[in-house]
Amino acid sequence: MQSSERASSNEQDDVDLKQLYADFEAQNLMPLWTQTNDLMPFHPRPMAVPHVWKWSTLYPLAQRSGDLVPVGRGGERRAIGLANPGLGGRAYISPTLWAAIQYLGPKETAPEHRHAQNAFRFVVEGEGVWTVVNGDPVRMSRGDFLLTPGWHFHGHHNETDHPMAWIDGLDIPFSYQNDVGFFEFGSERVTDYATPAFSRSERLWCHPGLRPLSGLQDTVSSPIGAYRWEFTDRALTEQLLLEEEGQPATVEQGHAAIRYVNPTTGSDVMATIRAEFHRIREGVQTPGRREVGSSVFQVFDGRGAVQLGDTLHKLEKGDIFVVPSWIRWSLQAETQFDLFRFSDAPIMERLNFARTQVDGDVL
Ligand SMILES: [Fe+2]
């Protein structure tokens, strides 16, 4: 073939290819070969970015919304979602998880409703609110972790003359992306204004190692309404004491940790959300690790820092940060450092996408 013929045949190919792509577009088709890198990267390349929200900023903003925005039917909750700057303006802290600060003023009631999405509360400070879950009033106090599994009616009421704030965690983004959400209004008020120290669920289930014979059927979500701080604190304290005695107890040197579990199965509290509590000894730095799936941490007590990718962030009580998929993170404890953590690990594990890499590991 002469070179001029080759050139004209190439030109003809270009024209034909352009036409092919135009015809693809007209038929709502997209070729894989122009986007392989985006669709199948060599490792996760999250659009979500690592980010820190300071409690000293969050709380006053929640307080201002308490002055200006009523809580009631329609809006349902005075909850302010933490929006990951990489996720295009939606109030998603990660592609699967929602985190919000919720604020309830003196004597206020947040009406009852239920939804398919799984939810929990974690209390970093304050007390005086009861959340009523399927008619069972559950006290909320500092350090408590409370469950509202999917399709359980729930409302909150503040019995005191002072406001209270806490964080909510839900699987809203996962539910939204997969169109699995249902929602139903319940009572305009909560159905039970009693203020017991312990919920009926705790009275039945919270006796270490003891399972009621009336509850031998396993349940998808934990039947426990609240995991109390005194038990979490004691478990972590004992792990560090055992470590000092030379006994195997901690997850790594100077790092005590527990997972909140469903007592009927021994696995995660809800199908989509894992929750843990970590205590790092003063002066300890955890090895860098990265994991498939996203995590959110809230500092409960103490001072320290987190290395997120290339950036070191100083942290103090109440600060919240997100670790997107496959971003390397490491904690540094300036004082004894207590952190609550939740993640989408149950989804990743069940679907067999879970991977973890700790510094020094070879994948
Ligand atoms: Fe809700």
Side-chain angles (χ1 to χ4, degrees):
M1 197 186 284
Q2 296 295 313
S3 66
S4 59
E5 283 174 34
R6 245 194 326 263
S8 84
S9 133
N10 284 347
E11 275 164 30
Q12 188 55 47
D13 283 354
D14 284 353
V15 171
D16 290 349
L17 199 57
K18 257 192 182 156
Q19 187 58 51
L20 178 66
Y21 287 159
D23 291 346
F24 281 163
E25 202 178 326
Q27 297 302 321
N28 299 306
L29 296 167
M30 290 175 79
L32 173 67
W33 58 85
T34 61
Q35 45 182 338
T36 311
N37 277 356
D38 266 354
L39 292 179
M40 288 196 255
F42 288 104
H43 56 77
R45 287 201 314 232
M47 284 169 61
V49 295
H51 194 78
V52 178
W53 289 262
K54 304 295 290 177
W55 191 247
S56 56
T57 309
L58 281 175
Y59 191 83
L61 287 168
Q63 227 167 4
R64 280 166 58 194
S65 68
D67 295 338
L68 295 170
V69 183
V71 65
R73 186 93 300 158
E76 298 296 295
R77 299 291 183 261
R78 194 186 290 110
I80 305 151
L82 278 54
N84 190 299
L87 293 180
R90 283 210 177 267
Y92 299 166
I93 198 163
S94 85
T96 47
L97 300 171
W98 160 280
I101 177 170
Q102 184 170 163
Y103 187 93
L104 200 59
K107 306 289 185 199
E108 279 187 331
T109 293
E112 290 192 350
H113 65 211
R114 66 176 172 178
H115 36 73
Q117 292 84 354
N118 293 288
F120 72 80
R121 336 266 158 223
F122 179 73
V123 184
V124 76
E125 61 186 12
E127 58 185 2
V129 169
W130 270 257
T131 182
V132 183
V133 180
N134 273 356
D136 189 11
V138 190
R139 172 177 55 92
M140 299 178 70
S141 308
R142 171 165 159 80
D144 296 342
F145 169 66
L146 300 100
L147 294 187
T148 309
W151 216 238
H152 286 48
F153 276 113
H154 55 282
H156 322 300
H157 66 105
N158 185 345
E159 280 306 296
T160 71
D161 295 322
H162 52 81
M164 185 177 166
W166 60 87
I167 65 160
D168 291 334
L170 290 94
D171 51 16
I172 290 174
F174 178 82
S175 303
Y176 186 84
Q177 295 297 339
N178 296 289
D179 297 318
V180 298
F182 291 86
F183 184 98
E184 203 172 276
F185 293 120
S187 164
E188 296 282 330
R189 309 283 292 159
V190 294
T191 43
D192 189 339
Y193 275 87
T195 55
F198 297 102
S199 60
R200 293 194 287 275
S201 72
E202 292 163 86
R203 290 164 57 201
L204 184 59
W205 281 99
C206 293
H207 311 287
L210 305 175
R211 185 166 181 172
L213 289 196
S214 58
L216 289 181
Q217 193 132 29
D218 290 357
T219 52
V220 171
S221 302
S222 169
I224 296 176
Y227 294 73
R228 297 296 174 191
W229 171 241
E230 61 172 300
F231 301 125
T232 309
D233 185 38
R234 193 182 308 156
L236 297 164
T237 301
E238 290 296 340
Q239 284 188 19
L240 291 178
L241 286 172
L242 284 164
E243 183 184 84
E244 282 167 20
E245 294 163 21
Q247 300 296 326
T250 49
V251 63
E252 54 206 9
Q253 192 64 31
H255 179 181
I258 57 99
R259 182 168 300 163
Y260 299 95
V261 295
N262 174 349
T264 75
T265 59
S267 40
D268 289 293
V269 286
M270 297 184 292
T272 52
I273 295 177
R274 171 165 295 169
E276 297 177 345
F277 202 101
H278 295 254
R279 174 171 289 170
I280 320 288
R281 265 191 218 281
E282 179 182 337
V284 166
Q285 176 171 352
T286 64
R289 48 164 54 84
R290 48 187 181 168
E291 293 139 330
V292 168
S294 45
S295 277
V296 177
F297 290 76
Q298 184 176 34
V299 177
F300 180 68
D301 217 349
R303 274 194 325 278
V306 63
Q307 180 84 35
L308 279 175
D310 297 330
T311 313
L312 185 72
H313 304 268
K314 289 261 186 199
L315 298 167
E316 54 198 1
K317 182 180 144 187
D319 292 351
I320 297 170
F321 63 90
V322 59
V323 187
S325 189
W326 216 237
I327 298 293
R328 183 180 175 278
W329 62 276
S330 160
L331 293 166
Q332 301 176 13
E334 198 180 313
T335 64
Q336 178 168 290
F337 201 26
D338 279 1
L339 298 104
F340 170 77
R341 177 191 195 188
F342 70 101
S343 74
D344 56 14
I347 301 174
M348 300 304 150
E349 288 181 1
R350 193 150 307 136
L351 301 184
N352 209 28
F353 290 123
R355 283 197 201 201
T356 299
Q357 185 185 41
V358 182
D359 283 358
D361 285 358
V362 179
L363 263 188

